[in-house]
Amino acid sequence: MASEPLQDDDILELGVCALDGDDVSTSGGTRALDAQRLRAAVCSLQSQGLKVLVVGRRDFEPLLTSSEMVVSPAATEPLDVSRLHCIQCVNADTLVDLLKAAFDYRCWFITNGNVAGLLSDWRLPGLRQSWLRRVLKRFHAKFEFDARGSFNVALPSSVREHLSGRRPSRRDFGGALAPSAAAGSAAPSAAAAPRHAAGPGGLSEPPPPPPPPLPLQQQQQQQQQQQQQL
């Protein structure tokens, strides 16, 4: 299926990602919950400059921020609570809530789940389905853990460029215009502005006043001369 053109407000926050906490912590339900894996994923993403929304069927924040957690040897960066926000699911399917969070924040998302299976799922409102069709191939990222337990994710190209500082994070898609251009207005050029000679202290002087009117007798004489010329 070909990707539909992006709209200007489809993805506004390249520096924020929504992470499937259930998928990461249980390897898609194939293992018992492992909070160390989830913490390693969050720390890895934060170390790249990202803010992370962790979406899951349980509240992961107490687990991730507990002082009693044994940090994995693969972790090289501390967890930054100020760049972490945990969202607890209200649906049985985490993907439904993950896409809601990504849609609400207009950010990209990370999961190994079958997101394409929700393109026509009635549980997603029509507006969210349309958004998903436009962003799925560009802003859905998958992850893996290597043998050392390090988290790896293939960042979308626009996210990589944003994190490297090559372009801004907001309204960078679909040919969005800069605010001044979008408004259709431009600052008046220096050549178009009226200019007067600078007076003392560099201040502009007002234009000279108009000449005073001629006396009545001179006006009558000018009128007689004009009539004679005709």
Side-chain angles (χ1 to χ4, degrees), residues 28-114:
T30 61
R31 60 188 296 168
L33 187 147
D34 187 343
Q36 287 189 5
R37 286 168 58 90
L38 182 55
R39 184 186 176 103
V42 173
C43 291
S44 174
L45 293 168
Q46 289 183 344
S47 69
Q48 298 179 69
L50 293 162
K51 299 180 179 70
V52 186
L53 306 169
V54 177
V55 182
R57 289 190 293 270
R58 65 180 298 166
D59 183 5
F60 281 111
E61 186 167 357
L63 278 177
L64 292 173
T65 59
S66 173
S67 59
E68 299 178 358
M69 171 178 280
V70 178
V71 179
S72 168
T76 58
E77 298 289 338
L79 185 140
D80 184 352
V81 179
S82 68
R83 291 188 291 144
L84 169 68
H85 180 51
C86 295
I87 301 173
Q88 191 167 2
C89 295
V90 296
N91 295 281
D93 189 345
T94 305
L95 289 180
V96 175
D97 290 86
L98 178 74
L99 293 176
K100 181 182 187 305
F103 177 80
D104 289 346
Y105 281 82
R106 292 300 195 273
C107 67
W108 58 289
F109 49 95
I110 304 171
T111 181
N112 288 346
N114 181 22

Side-chain angles (χ1 to χ4, degrees), residues 184-208:
S185 61
S189 64
R195 305 181 70 178
H196 307 291
L203 300 176
S204 297
E205 294 182 348

